[in-house]
Structure formats: C-alpha cells, structure tokens
Amino acid sequence: METAFNKPKFSWQEYFSDKKKGGHRYSTEEFLFKEAREKLFHLRGGRSLLDFGCGAGELLIYYVPNYERIVGADFSSSMLFEAEKKMWQQNYKNVDLILADDETIWEKLSLPFDRITATAVVQYLTPQQIDAFIRHASEYLNEDGKIVFFDIIDPRLYSLWKMGWFSQNFKLWKTLPKTGFGLLRQTSAILKNRPRDIIGDAYSPYFIEQIAIDNGFKMEYVKSMYYEYRYHAILSRN
C-alpha cells in the first residue's frame, strides 16, 4: 500500500519524457520567428552557442543560421527526436543534439562557447541547481561570453497573470472562484507529491542576480516581449 513515506518522488524528466512540443504561447511559424528574433537580439552575436533545454527545437531552428557551431541539449528524448527532424528537414550541418540534463551535459562537452542559453528552464531547477549550472557554464564560456536565461517566471507578475489581470476582460469578482480553486489544487498537489503548479517555480530577478554575483557575473534584467509574467537574465563576467 502506498503511503506518504514510500510515494515515488516527482520527476520533471519523467513528466517530459513523452512530450513533443516546447510549450510556447503559440506554435505558429510567425510567432516562433518573432520570439526567436527577440532572443537573438539579446544574445547579441557570438560564433558558438549552447542551447540547453532546446526542447523540440522550435527556437533552435532559428538560431542555427546565425552561428557557426551550435549544440542543443535536452533531457527529453521525445523532444530531441522532434528537434532532430527539424534540423534534418533544413539540412543543417552545424548543429549537434545531445541527450543530457543539467548535471550530465558538462561531461559531454569538449569546447567552450560564446553564448550559453536556456529558455524556460530555470523554473524546473532548484536554487542549488541554478547555482551549479552557472558555475559549470562559466567553465565552458569563452572570455567575452554570456549566459542568458530566457523566460524566467516572475513571481511578482505570475499570480496577476493567472488571475487574468492582463486580460482586456478582467473582472475582479470573477477571479475569486479561481483563487479558491487554485488553493485547493496546491493543497492537493502537496499531498500527492506533485508540483504545486505544473509550470514550475518562480524566482525573483534579485534572487537570480545574487546567484550570478556570487559566481562572478553581473546581470542585466529584461522583460519578455511575448510573455507578460516572464523576464530574461543576461549574465556577463564582472
């Protein structure tokens, strides 16, 4: 009989094991092109790129023409399979895809990068994992390189977004039932050893900045153009 003491621990790897889409707001080519263009602007060049958490390659496919060497990594084999199909269809030869998580990726790399990026990944990492990721990434970063975390959930705005604050039809009285239902879902998730919100954790910019500073980086904070409750953290060496 399953009890609170022998419940299997929730695993994000298992959750994404059969997923085939990266969870972008829209899956249209027009939207993904715009989203990729915004991210390329913040990456600001470089000749080599590591895209950790590349997922199904929805953004990676737009990054590839802008770099001489690219590595895409993800811990979901189903996602990587979709990414591989996209690269094959475009006949891209300058990209390697690697099955790895935030711990195993580093042992599979042999060369440093000008840019290391991760989109909507931080929400699935613990504070200790974020710190370790930045520390390891710094060892594979060229002298003038940057680490860029895209689309981090902002806890100051996410609750408002869930309430519908940014909607044109926002009505405060309509949000009360949602709030009550949300509390019930969170309580149920805790009891079932599931994440309280399947979208993952939220970290304030100040929290990420402090981890960056502790690892010898300075951080630039930029709001996302296409997700009201997310922001980008651009890390460069002090």
Side-chain angles (χ1 to χ4, degrees), residues 4 6 13 24 41 71 89-90 112 126 152 156 189 196 213 216:
N6 63 13
Q13 282 85 346
H24 298 272
F41 173 80
V71 171
Q89 289 168 356
Q90 295 295 325
T126 65
I152 302 174
R156 304 168 302 177
R196 284 174 290 178
I213 291 172

Side-chain angles (χ1 to χ4, degrees), residues 1 10 18 36 40 60 75 77 90 94 175 191 206-207 212 221:
M1 182 178 69
F10 177 81
D18 61 349
L40 283 166
L60 183 65
F75 58 58
S77 57
Q90 295 295 325
N94 60 325
T175 67
L191 294 174
Y206 313 108
F207 178 80
Y221 161 81

Side-chain angles (χ1 to χ4, degrees), residues 46-215:
R47 300 170 65 181
S48 55
L49 171 73
L50 167 62
D51 183 14
F52 178 76
C54 67
E58 290 103 329
L59 297 177
L60 183 65
I61 197 168
Y62 294 105
Y63 296 162
V64 175
N66 295 274
Y67 290 89
E68 296 178 9
R69 177 174 63 91
I70 280 195
V71 171
D74 203 279
F75 58 58
S76 170
S77 57
S78 61
M79 290 277 211
L80 278 183
F81 182 70
E82 295 301 314
E84 186 176 26
K85 287 195 296 185
K86 291 181 177 66
M87 301 307 139
W88 181 81
Q89 289 168 356
Q90 295 295 325
N91 197 30
Y92 287 143
K93 304 294 186 181
N94 60 325
V95 55
D96 292 314
L97 298 176
I98 297 176
L99 181 66
D101 59 23
D102 58 293
E103 293 182 358
T104 60
I105 178 61
W106 313 112
E107 62 192 37
K108 298 184 178 183
L109 301 176
S110 57
L111 296 172
F113 298 87
D114 295 326
R115 302 288 185 270
I116 295 178
T117 188
T119 299
V121 167
V122 168
Q123 65 208 56
Y124 304 119
L125 303 179
T126 65
Q128 294 77 17
Q129 288 174 316
I130 297 171
D131 179 78
F133 186 93
I134 295 175
R135 186 172 68 253
H136 288 305
S138 68
E139 299 172 359
Y140 285 88
L141 200 62
N142 287 326
E143 185 175 352
D144 296 323
K146 294 180 180 180
I147 301 171
V148 185
F149 293 122
F150 287 122
D151 295 332
I152 302 174
I153 298 174
D154 190 334
R156 304 168 302 177
L157 299 175
Y158 181 57
S159 296
L160 292 176
W161 175 77
K162 287 202 72 174
M163 290 169 56
W165 181 268
F166 299 103
S167 171
Q168 292 181 343
N169 301 316
F170 174 76
K171 296 290 188 299
L172 182 60
W173 62 270
K174 288 184 177 181
T175 67
L176 297 178
K178 287 184 179 180
T179 303
F181 181 68
L183 290 174
L184 288 175
R185 287 184 61 186
Q186 289 192 24
T187 302
S188 175
I190 293 172
L191 294 174
K192 294 180 180 179
N193 190 33
R194 306 289 290 184
R196 284 174 290 178
D197 193 328
I198 205 65
I199 202 167
D201 293 318
Y203 298 102
S204 76
Y206 313 108
F207 178 80
I208 301 296
E209 184 175 28
Q210 187 55 59
I211 296 178
I213 291 172
D214 291 343
N215 283 279

